Amino acid sequence: MSSHAQQPHRLTVRSLQAMKQAGEKIACLTAYDASFAHVLDDAGVDVVLVGDSLGMVVQGNETTLPVSVDDMLYHSRAVSRGLDRALLMVDMPYLSYTSPQQALENAGRFMQQADAQMVKLEGGAEQADIVSRLALNGIPVCAHLGLQPQRVHKLGGYRVQGRETDAAEAMLDQARQLEQAGADMMLLECVPQSLAERITAALEIPVIGIGAGAGCDGQILVLYDILGISKGRIPKFSRNFIDDSGTIEAAVRTYVDAVKTGRFPGKEHVFS
Ligand code: KIV
């Protein structure tokens, strides 16, 4: 076997692109350790994100801001050991990508030391230079628009983004610029359904939604929300899948099936 051979069933950016073109919904979930990663992989989750949400759901912080590159590396290495098929995406934590050079060094660590296949970073067109520097160095990027939890203090809370006409047009424009800069995927968080549909139709790269409606090319949720173990109230856009499923494995399979068949998200999970 050539030293360039891929693991036979590992999904890649090309697989995700092909899924968009074929109209197959992309099912994504977060994970933070090898055991859950294995369950997700087995249940057919396409993309596993080591989210900086680990700052809240694993570390117990109020926000994602305290999460470090070393924290992300530790959890990403663990998750990578649990995956055979799913694509591994890793969040760039707060202040780890303030310049193209810093972003390249930190993203490079995720690729070299944790087998990441894609990194995700928050922000709009102001990140285009960073996206293109990573792309030029062979690092796939998922851009993250809409609600950006790393900017929670600047935004004044966790709020739906892009409701006003100007803000919606600006987000569509930023999405185009990020794609142009070399982004391979786009994540939209807490965005009105109609805007998410427009962005999904305008971009060639896959668009994954969380609180962005069923019109996106795929969906992502925080694992602990669907298992009903996150602290506090479950967000409006999420759903507890374990109450009706009984086991963790069944809950994850039900989630994957609901995303693939378009049964999740429903009208009750959407913003207008
Ligand atoms: O950190 C995270 O888990 C995320 C998801 C909410 C998309 O970015």
Side-chain angles (χ1 to χ4, degrees), residues 154-236:
K154 191 80 177 160
L155 295 173
Y158 296 102
R159 303 166 182 286
V160 179
Q161 303 293 309
R163 276 193 160 135
E164 304 76 19
T165 309
D166 285 0
E169 294 310 315
M171 202 185 298
L172 178 56
D173 185 49
Q174 305 216 18
R176 287 198 171 107
Q177 290 189 51
L178 288 161
E179 178 177 61
Q180 194 68 36
D184 294 278
M185 196 154 83
M186 177 71 55
L187 187 143
L188 298 178
E189 179 164 356
C190 292
V191 168
Q193 166 158 254
S194 56
L195 174 58
E197 278 169 11
R198 284 179 68 202
I199 295 175
T200 305
L203 299 191
E204 286 183 15
I205 57 175
V207 176
I208 307 299
I210 174 165
C216 299
D217 300 309
Q219 301 294 325
I220 188 161
L221 288 177
V222 170
L223 176 64
Y224 293 2
D225 287 345
I226 78 161
L227 299 182
I229 54 171
S230 296
K231 193 174 135 194
R233 218 160 31 92
I234 189 166
K236 169 186 160 78

Side-chain angles (χ1 to χ4, degrees), residues 57-124:
V57 301
V58 176
Q59 297 175 335
N61 297 305
E62 289 297 319
T63 70
T64 59
L65 306 191
V67 177
S68 69
V69 170
D70 285 342
D71 293 337
M72 294 303 298
L73 268 174
Y74 175 86
H75 288 278
S76 301
R77 276 193 207 106
V79 168
S80 77
R81 293 183 200 116
L83 300 181
D84 286 325
R85 173 185 173 273
L87 181 140
L88 173 59
M89 173 158 76
V90 174
D91 254 342
M92 301 286 292
Y94 182 57
L95 297 185
S96 70
Y97 52 102
T98 59
S99 68
Q101 188 56 30
Q102 187 203 21
L104 181 59
E105 282 163 18
N106 285 321
R109 292 185 73 195
F110 294 137
M111 308 294 286
Q112 288 187 313
Q113 298 171 27
D115 281 338
Q117 292 166 279
M118 182 181 280
V119 297
K120 174 164 83 60
L121 50 87
E122 299 180 10

